[in-house]
Amino acid sequence: MDYYSSHINRLIEQFARLPGIGAKSAQRLAFHVMNMPREQVQQLTDSILSARENVRYCKCCCTLTDREICPICANEKRDHSTIMVVENTRDLAAYEKTGKFNGVYHVLHGAISPMLGIGPDDIRLKELMHRLQETDVSEVIIATNSSLEGETTAMYLSKLIKPAGIRTTRIASGVPVGGDLEYIDEVTLLRALDGRVEL
Ligand code: ZN
């Protein structure tokens, strides 16, 4: 389908590869870019590249950060003996926004999903277990989503962590089933945290 220039077609293809962007949105974005001032296009491509090149995983909690150790892990005022395990950096941001959690995090970057072929080795689980061996941790709060994948991951984690004698809790199910943490309001997030249960 060569209705447009091959350059535009290529741009549409690239946009369509992004999550949540269908064929129509990809076209709309591509034509929008065509109408943008050249400097703005340059800024967009520069920021995409520089984010990709400069952002890395925190050596401690695996969240995305500009530094070797992220600001949360580097903060001595935080309670480093309480680790909240989340699926991604967006979930971490959701809890950070509440300003009520003073512990630290561990970001798995995914959840176990036998259906999608994502196993324990495909997420940042080894890093967590290593961390639990190295540091004195009194509680691990599992805050993965309440989707099937999130629950599977929570169960798997508790089986690994509990034998080590570390208190393992799961955030309460105030979080709707299948609900992504990042879309849930602060009150619900805090209620889920306060109402966490022992595993
Ligand atoms: Zn960190």
Side-chain angles (χ1 to χ4, degrees):
M1 64 138 195
D2 243 349
Y3 307 115
Y4 318 127
S5 97
S6 59
H7 292 282
I8 295 185
N9 279 339
R10 222 177 328 154
L11 185 58
I12 293 172
E13 271 170 35
Q14 291 302 321
F15 278 129
R17 284 173 156 192
L18 301 174
I21 307 285
K24 270 195 180 160
S25 303
Q27 282 191 16
R28 202 174 330 128
L29 286 171
F31 283 105
H32 179 78
V33 169
M34 289 304 103
N35 289 318
M36 276 161 67
R38 204 189 172 286
E39 314 84 73
Q40 217 179 314
V41 176
Q42 187 72 54
Q43 279 168 9
L44 176 66
T45 52
D46 283 353
S47 43
I48 292 175
L49 259 183
S50 91
R52 183 63 187 81
E53 275 165 9
N54 296 306
V55 175
R56 45 184 152 169
Y57 297 107
C58 168
K59 268 197 164 166
C60 186
C61 72
C62 300
T63 195
L64 294 170
T65 176
D66 293 349
R67 310 178 205 169
E68 196 165 303
I69 303 287
C70 78
I72 297 172
C73 290
N75 187 345
E76 283 174 13
K77 290 195 185 115
R78 304 211 40 151
D79 170 14
H80 287 257
S81 70
T82 304
I83 298 180
M84 185 192 287
V85 180
V86 292
E87 287 185 23
N88 54 51
T89 297
R90 297 188 309 270
D91 292 343
L92 177 156
Y95 265 104
E96 270 310 279
K97 256 189 257 162
T98 70
K100 297 273 161 57
F101 178 66
N102 192 42
V104 290
Y105 298 89
H106 188 88
V107 182
L108 293 173
H109 293 284
I112 298 171
S113 170
M115 255 174 33
L116 296 174
I118 301 169
D121 289 341
D122 300 314
I123 57 177
R124 302 279 172 142
L125 209 70
K126 267 195 304 270
E127 288 84 348
L128 173 64
M129 298 317 290
H130 184 70
R131 199 172 159 195
L132 294 179
Q133 278 166 5
E134 299 280 293
T135 39
D136 227 351
V137 174
S138 58
E139 182 181 356
V140 174
I141 303 168
I142 304 174
T144 50
N145 293 336
S146 52
S147 58
L148 178 62
E149 292 79 17
E151 293 297 346
T152 307
T153 309
M155 238 152 37
Y156 189 90
L157 271 174
S158 78
K159 276 191 194 138
L160 276 183
I161 300 169
K162 265 174 68 179
I166 301 169
R167 184 181 175 210
T168 311
T169 56
R170 174 91 175 104
I171 54 165
S173 50
V175 180
V177 172
D180 266 322
L181 281 187
E182 56 171 324
Y183 297 121
I184 293 162
D185 66 276
E186 288 182 17
V187 178
T188 313
L189 276 182
L190 290 174
R191 207 181 293 149
L193 180 58
D194 285 341
R196 64 189 187 272
V197 291
E198 302 284 335
L199 286 177

